[in-house]
Amino acid sequence: MSPGRGTGGTREPSLHQLRLYLVLAQELHFGRAAARVYVTQPTFSQQIRSLEQRLGVTLVERGGRGVRLTAAGQALAEEARSVVDAMARLRQTADRHVGTARGRLRLGSLGAEAAMPHAQTVLAHLRDRHPDLEIEVRNLTFVDMFSTLLTGEVDAAFLRGPLPGGIQSLHLHTETRVVCLPADDPLAGRDTVTLAHLADRAVVDMPPEVPRAWWDHLTVNPRPDGTPVRFGPVVRDTEAMVLAVTQKQAITFLPSAARHLYPRAGITYVDCSELGVSTAELAWLPDNRDSPAVTALREAAHRTLRQA
């Protein structure tokens, strides 16, 4: 494809692809754009190529360290923004004509977060006040917990902090954190341990798509004495994380609720005050904050907090 010469695209672009293209139009760099929405660069590039094929026109000139929008790409960026904004207005206008929120709320949940008591109370309030709102809960992995929000695949999500910039949130709950150890580990019989006790233990690691700052914070890397954490196997979700511990490949750190949510033969949970606390957050994008479904969700969350 040459700039400005279409090849007769026959499929309509998706709203998801248009959102990704708008990020690329701002960053003018595939790596930075992919990092901004927390997807891999090959995945991001594939989506842009698919968009070009669907439209039948070249949007960007690739080469060197960055990209440049073609003349068609510059013109279509303005139209893409109009489409994305118009879709948001369409949803808001439709829902303003009913007394309660309707349609569908696409809600993400990192692992078992939606099963936590505070989350269940929020959802109960939401269903009671908005019975016509269809609530679709999608299980998120460590890999897509932030990217699904940033690309609009979910409207809001139950996550664990700290959250990256560009995401708004409401703090729902705070709890202590614990160490997950193999049951036959010499430290497993203790009531509490310190980070110094764990210095020689490998800790499960995250895939490269997960923001490094998030996992370094949760693993206290480096440790207070400056020693870097020794990382072990890479896991994509909490089940795989716990499995790695049962197989004695590594240890991990989890919210204290894991004692009840992830009880497994072959592991034990031990307190460690140096890990600090874990925060449960209801998260959404600023652009979605005032959409009817997210507004209803936020109101239900505020009601839960007032009654706590």
Side-chain angles (χ1 to χ4, degrees):
M1 281 187 299
S2 61
R5 295 186 61 187
T7 59
T10 58
R11 297 179 61 195
E12 295 292 337
S14 69
L15 198 60
H16 171 62
Q17 289 175 330
L18 294 180
R19 288 192 179 104
L20 292 182
Y21 178 59
L22 288 174
V23 174
L24 180 61
Q26 292 176 348
E27 296 293 340
L28 296 178
H29 189 281
F30 275 98
R32 290 196 301 269
R36 181 169 154 185
V37 296
Y38 300 105
V39 299
T40 63
Q41 184 170 334
T43 298
F44 190 97
S45 298
Q46 182 181 17
Q47 287 294 318
I48 299 301
R49 289 190 182 280
S50 176
L51 175 62
E52 290 178 318
Q53 291 169 359
R54 291 185 180 197
L55 292 173
V57 66
T58 299
L59 299 172
V60 297
E61 292 181 349
R62 298 159 175 84
R65 295 184 176 181
V67 299
R68 185 176 69 86
L69 299 186
T70 64
Q74 292 175 359
L76 287 170
E78 297 179 9
E79 297 298 333
R81 170 53 63 190
S82 297
V83 170
V84 171
D85 291 344
M87 182 59 72
R89 291 194 301 271
L90 177 68
R91 290 174 175 171
Q92 293 176 17
T93 301
D95 285 332
R96 276 199 298 267
H97 289 273
V98 296
T100 59
R102 64 178 183 179
R104 175 179 296 182
L105 172 68
R106 300 164 302 168
L107 188 58
S109 171
L110 176 60
E113 287 301 309
M116 296 287 286
H118 52 269
Q120 285 294 298
T121 304
V122 171
L123 294 177
H125 282 311
L126 183 62
R127 292 187 177 101
D128 180 62
R129 178 66 180 83
H130 303 278
D132 294 328
L133 180 64
E134 179 184 350
I135 303 171
E136 174 190 331
V137 180
R138 172 178 173 178
N139 184 59
L140 305 180
T141 68
F142 298 125
V143 173
D144 61 8
M145 59 182 172
F146 298 134
S147 65
T148 50
L149 265 180
L150 294 167
T151 59
E153 294 175 62
V154 298
D155 303 304
F158 291 114
L159 301 175
R160 288 280 164 166
L163 303 182
I167 295 177
Q168 294 181 342
S169 66
L170 178 63
H171 175 65
L172 297 178
H173 182 68
T174 299
E175 62 189 292
T176 59
R177 299 174 64 215
V178 294
V179 185
C180 181
L181 296 164
D184 61 355
D185 188 289
L187 298 174
R190 291 175 174 261
D191 293 329
T192 183
V193 295
T194 67
L195 290 176
H197 289 135
L198 305 170
D200 62 344
R201 267 66 167 185
V203 180
V204 296
D205 203 1
M206 293 286 118
E209 297 90 341
V210 177
R212 195 69 230 175
W214 183 81
W215 193 230
D216 283 342
H217 173 85
L218 294 178
T219 54
V220 194
N221 181 41
R223 295 291 162 75
D225 64 358
T227 303
V229 171
R230 181 167 66 89
F231 289 104
V234 173
V235 298
R236 298 175 64 88
D237 55 40
T238 310
E239 286 290 350
M241 176 183 284
V242 174
L243 180 61
V245 180
T246 63
Q247 294 178 341
K248 305 178 184 180
Q249 296 177 316
I251 67 170
T252 194
F253 309 129
L254 288 167
S256 57
R259 285 188 164 107
H260 310 290
L261 294 172
Y262 298 98
R264 299 290 187 274
I267 64 173
T268 190
Y269 295 99
V270 180
D271 292 331
C272 179
S273 61
E274 292 176 291
L275 291 175
V277 297
S278 177
T279 61
E281 310 286 338
L282 175 61
W284 62 86
L285 284 188
D287 288 347
N288 289 340
R289 182 183 187 277
D290 296 322
S291 68
V294 175
T295 295
L297 176 64
R298 292 191 298 105
E299 290 174 348
H302 279 294
R303 187 183 310 172
T304 297
L305 294 175
R306 288 195 298 267
Q307 296 179 359

